[in-house]
Amino acid sequence: MQVSPENTPDTTASTKAAPRRITVLGAGAWGTAVAMALAGRHDVLLWGRNGDAMAAMAVSGENSYLPGFTLPPQLRIVADFDAAVAHASGEHGLLIAACPVAGLRPLLLQLKDKAITNLVWLCKGFEGGTGLLPHQIVQEVLGDNIPGGALSGPSFAQEVARGLPCALTIASHSAALRNAVVSALHGGTIRVYASEDLVGVEVGGAVKNVLAIATGVADGLGLGLNARAALITRGLAEITRLGTALGGQTETFMGLTGMGDLILTCTGDLSRNRRVGLGLAQGKALETIVAELGHVAEGVPCAKAVRELACSMGVDMPITNAVAGVLFDGDLPHLMVQQLLSRDPRDEAT
């Protein structure tokens, strides 16, 4: 049976599914939040590459990337990479890569000779230098023999860690992998949809971060809610243009990983990328903004990669180009806005 974007397989038994052995590779805010959300239902290990930090986390019961949140007692904290990967091997294992796009290839190289049954990645963006999407990096490093997929959607780590409701999409060409992830994750406060459109889901998750920077600039300049709505709407048009040019399905961009993630990232106060835009509007240097965040803001490297990719493909992305101009070419934020407003009129459907 073909699974269309955000069509859920039968989940009537998903909340009763047998516990799985799950390892989350990456102890940042999002990886930790996902591990916390799953620890009550499954045998979950959280691995991080900094052994001292993992030891401190095990003692304190708290992750410095998620201050104020107590880790569930069922969640096991480990620094042994081989043991962490072995835990998620076998038919009932699930390995979740929770690293930035820049860290995905190095992590996959560590996994290259390991026994992996199912692999899911959480990162959103294009790889710098190559312009590859995460699934293309996985294919290049690990080949086609390991069932894999992207878990994406509108979700802030802090809210997931608090146990607040969220809806996500698992995108994969493997029906077995989609069903396994839905079975494992769907339940409690997390709703999981399934999609075959891996390209569309990944493009939506990547480009929305760039557009959140643009929205943060507009908000920081006090341009009002009308301008914010226009940026989000026209930003969605840019995502759709690039996504369909790369082979994604138009319907995907109207769903959770397109419109949903875009709205959240552009309007939520917890959005790192929106905060980058706010900082730029205040005249702060990019290096200062990133240092103050203390986290990765994927929209920054993604803006450069998307501008280069869109240019090479002849895809018109004026908002993305304007953001990249501010980030990398020294353009002033208020001139970015003037540049967008001075564009010639056009049909809305284009």
Side-chain angles (χ1 to χ4, degrees):
M1 180 184 73
Q2 181 176 2
V3 180
S4 60
E6 293 187 13
N7 176 36
T8 310
D10 182 11
T11 58
T12 54
S14 64
T15 57
K16 302 178 183 178
R20 286 182 172 270
R21 296 186 307 276
I22 298 176
T23 293
V24 179
L25 298 176
W30 184 221
T32 301
V34 169
M36 291 172 64
L38 299 178
R41 291 184 280 150
H42 301 281
D43 182 4
V44 182
L45 264 61
L46 176 63
W47 172 87
R49 64 178 62 256
N50 186 323
D52 292 338
M54 300 307 289
M57 194 186 310
V59 172
S60 67
E62 185 175 302
N63 187 340
S64 60
Y65 285 110
L66 278 174
F69 292 94
T70 301
L71 301 176
Q74 306 96 322
L75 178 60
R76 289 190 280 163
I77 310 299
V78 298
D80 186 324
F81 184 77
D82 290 342
V85 175
H87 174 76
S89 63
E91 180 183 356
H92 296 289
L94 179 61
L95 194 62
I96 300 177
C99 60
V101 169
L104 182 59
R105 186 181 294 273
L107 180 62
L108 294 173
L109 289 172
Q110 286 184 270
L111 294 171
K112 194 168 185 180
D113 298 322
K114 307 294 183 184
I116 305 172
T117 308
N118 298 302
L119 176 65
V120 171
W121 48 91
L122 307 181
C123 52
K124 302 174 180 180
F126 291 84
E127 185 178 41
T130 68
L132 296 178
L133 286 164
H135 79 273
Q136 295 172 314
I137 304 172
V138 173
Q139 185 178 41
E140 191 172 277
V141 177
L142 300 181
D144 298 319
N145 297 324
I146 299 172
L151 183 65
S152 188
S155 48
F156 286 140
Q158 293 92 328
E159 293 196 354
V160 172
R162 287 175 58 194
L164 297 178
C166 76
L168 303 170
T169 297
I170 176 63
S172 175
H173 299 312
S174 166
L177 187 279
R178 293 193 303 266
N179 290 332
V181 173
V182 170
S183 175
L185 274 63
H186 186 93
T189 59
I190 300 178
R191 183 168 181 82
V192 183
Y193 293 81
S195 172
E196 288 183 332
D197 187 11
L198 193 48
V199 170
V201 165
E202 289 190 332
V203 171
V207 184
K208 58 92 181 179
N209 286 326
V210 181
L211 301 169
I213 295 176
T215 307
V217 169
D219 288 347
L221 293 174
L223 300 185
L225 299 179
N226 294 339
R228 179 196 285 181
L231 276 172
I232 292 173
T233 307
R234 293 312 301 168
L236 181 61
E238 289 196 14
I239 293 175
T240 305
R241 277 199 296 272
L242 180 64
T244 53
L246 290 169
Q249 302 173 22
T250 302
E251 311 93 274
T252 300
F253 306 109
M254 302 301 114
L256 286 171
T257 59
M259 183 188 298
D261 212 356
L262 177 65
I263 292 172
L264 179 72
T265 311
C266 288
T267 63
D269 291 336
L270 294 175
S271 168
R272 302 171 192 169
N273 294 285
R274 180 173 179 272
R275 286 159 62 189
V276 170
L278 290 170
L280 291 171
Q282 295 169 7
K284 293 183 178 181
L286 179 60
E287 295 77 9
T288 301
I289 298 169
V290 173
E292 290 176 350
L293 283 177
H295 296 266
V296 175
E298 290 281 20
V300 175
C302 190
K304 183 177 182 180
V306 172
R307 177 170 68 172
E308 293 172 353
L309 179 63
C311 180
S312 68
M313 297 180 65
V315 177
D316 186 29
M317 302 190 71
I319 301 174
T320 297
N321 292 339
V323 170
V326 173
L327 291 173
F328 308 115
D329 302 338
D331 295 348
L332 298 176
H334 72 278
L335 294 180
M336 176 195 92
V337 175
Q338 292 180 11
Q339 175 186 341
L340 292 172
L341 289 175
S342 63
R343 283 170 47 83
D344 292 336
R346 62 190 306 163
D347 291 338
E348 186 181 16
T350 61

